[in-house]
Amino acid sequence: MKPRHYLGWDIGGAHLKAAVLNSDGIVTALYQQPCPLWKGLATLQAAVAAIMQALPAADYRHALTMTGELVDLFADREDGVRQIIATMARLLPASEILVFAGRQGLLPLSAISPADYQDIASSNWLASAGFAAHSVGEGLFIDIGSTTTDVLVLQDRQVQVQGYTDYQRLVTKELVYTGIVRTAVMAVAQAVLDEGQEVGLMAEYFATMADVYRLTGELDEAHDQTETADGAAKTVAASARRLARMLGCDFYPEQLPRWQSVAVNLRAQQLQAITAASGKVLAENSVSAAAPLVGAGIGRFLVRELARHWRRPYRDFSELCQCSATALNPADCAPAVAVGYLNHARA
């Protein structure tokens, strides 16, 4: 009989991520597929099929976590959890599926009832932060993804949270609804510094933060899987054109440095919002000065800057895992990796 492998799934509203662990607990493969779930469950079916087709033949046990229940395809969060679980049960061997239910940990599919849906909804952050807490003991965990940012205190190998629901976490600043790809520029700033003067931004969906980070040169093509605001190209010039529209301007190639400067200013404003949230969370918790910032997510290059700002050591989520060579980094898919490890731990 072939050794069993353990698959962790993170079902988002825009992406599907998966992490494969072998019987020794080593991450052997990572996958990410675009999955605009608001367009219908067929997008999830297609993304799962693409990953399953890429998997090597093996005996797999599956564990999943999700945030995709938030999309407006569903009547409410509970409806989203129910439909996503039902869809995954049809696509994967039902007897081999575990579902992450927050504080309850992993639950077998057969044991889940509607009473568990609230714990299952949008709990992927607790999986990755819990894995980091177990590994580093104490610190501040910050996961900056394509859409959101999580800021969580780790103490005594536990996640010390003030809120569990998205609403509660938005109040406590443990959840900041900003990311480096999908976030609209108009959600980050109302004005920007351009050629020495402050200019108001148009409240239009003309550009996203992906345009900003293409212009700063910090967006990896592997993470750039979301459609642009205008459906046009993902080039530097096209990004500058979209950003220029936010200021009521046209783009001319000789003015590229101007729009790169605007992008740097918008980056600074987004980082300031994350800095303010992390400062609030740190101020309300006693975290030793030597405790690190643990960075996860495709925007963790900003967490490195925050570590310098707070004069703390930096630990990358990838350092906490055993990983063979993969195209993606474990820190890019932290919740999928975390539920994969939880899955393996039940063996």
Side-chain angles (χ1 to χ4, degrees):
M1 182 177 178
K2 294 180 180 178
R4 167 162 279 188
H5 285 64
Y6 303 86
L7 196 54
W9 297 88
D10 181 21
I11 305 162
H15 302 95
L16 176 67
K17 299 176 182 179
V20 181
L21 278 71
N22 65 18
S23 58
D24 295 321
I26 298 171
V27 178
T28 58
L30 295 163
Y31 301 93
Q32 177 174 308
Q33 285 288 321
C35 181
L37 194 51
W38 61 89
K39 294 183 177 181
L41 285 166
T43 61
L44 177 59
Q45 294 164 2
V48 171
I51 291 175
M52 292 294 289
Q53 188 173 7
L55 289 173
D59 175 29
Y60 292 100
R61 185 168 71 186
H62 303 269
L64 60 91
T65 186
M66 69 183 72
T67 57
E69 79 287 341
L70 284 171
V71 303
D72 52 16
L73 172 68
F74 307 118
D76 52 37
R77 294 158 65 88
E78 292 192 8
D79 177 52
V81 170
R82 178 182 60 80
Q83 291 202 51
I84 288 171
I85 288 176
T87 299
M88 296 300 286
R90 289 193 295 270
L91 297 171
L92 305 173
S95 61
E96 296 294 308
I97 298 178
L98 301 168
V99 180
F100 184 68
R103 289 166 287 182
Q104 297 187 67
L106 289 176
L107 300 179
L109 192 65
S110 59
I112 293 171
S113 73
D116 301 311
Y117 289 171
Q118 286 296 331
D119 284 336
I120 294 168
S122 297
S123 61
N124 67 348
W125 57 272
L126 188 55
S128 47
F131 177 78
H134 179 76
S135 300
V136 303
E138 183 182 21
L140 188 68
F141 176 80
I142 303 179
D143 185 334
I144 303 177
S146 65
T147 310
T148 60
T149 295
D150 297 301
V151 183
L152 299 157
V153 168
L154 315 176
Q155 284 181 328
D156 300 321
R157 302 193 183 280
Q158 300 292 324
V159 186
Q160 305 297 325
V161 299
Q162 299 182 62
Y164 281 96
T165 68
D166 282 346
Y167 179 87
Q168 293 166 344
R169 298 176 63 232
L170 287 166
V171 170
T172 63
K173 305 299 184 186
E174 292 168 323
L175 171 62
V176 187
Y177 226 89
T178 194
I180 70 161
V181 175
R182 298 184 62 238
T183 302
V185 166
M186 63 180 172
V188 171
Q190 292 184 312
V192 71
L193 190 65
D194 174 47
E195 297 188 323
Q197 59 186 351
E198 186 177 81
V199 184
L201 292 177
M202 292 183 173
E204 297 279 2
Y205 185 59
F206 285 152
T208 65
M209 292 306 289
D211 293 309
V212 167
Y213 289 105
R214 286 189 205 103
L215 286 167
T216 65
E218 295 170 299
L219 181 58
D220 189 321
E221 287 185 11
H223 306 142
D224 195 3
Q225 296 186 327
T226 301
E227 290 182 2
T228 58
D230 60 0
K234 296 179 180 180
T235 62
V236 169
S239 291
R241 184 174 296 109
R242 285 186 287 268
L243 198 55
R245 288 193 191 114
M246 295 295 300
L247 281 69
C249 296
D250 292 320
F251 168 70
Y252 302 99
E254 64 272 17
Q255 290 188 328
L256 179 59
R258 173 188 179 185
W259 302 112
Q260 288 172 324
S261 178
V262 168
V264 168
N265 185 261
L266 286 165
R267 178 193 192 277
Q269 292 194 58
Q270 185 178 48
L271 181 57
Q272 179 54 43
I274 298 170
T275 303
S278 59
K280 180 179 186 296
V281 172
L282 279 172
E284 294 174 353
N285 295 271
S286 55
V287 181
S288 70
L293 263 61
V294 180
I298 62 174
R300 65 189 179 281
F301 55 86
L302 295 177
V303 184
R304 290 183 183 274
E305 289 192 30
L306 283 170
R308 290 193 292 270
H309 173 80
W310 296 118
R311 297 180 180 178
R312 290 178 176 273
Y314 174 79
R315 293 285 304 277
D316 199 84
F317 184 90
S318 62
E319 298 172 19
L320 314 181
C321 315
Q322 286 186 285
C323 184
S324 60
T326 61
L328 295 173
N329 187 300
D332 300 333
C333 311
V337 170
V339 293
Y341 271 105
L342 287 173
N343 190 3
H344 178 269
R346 289 174 64 101

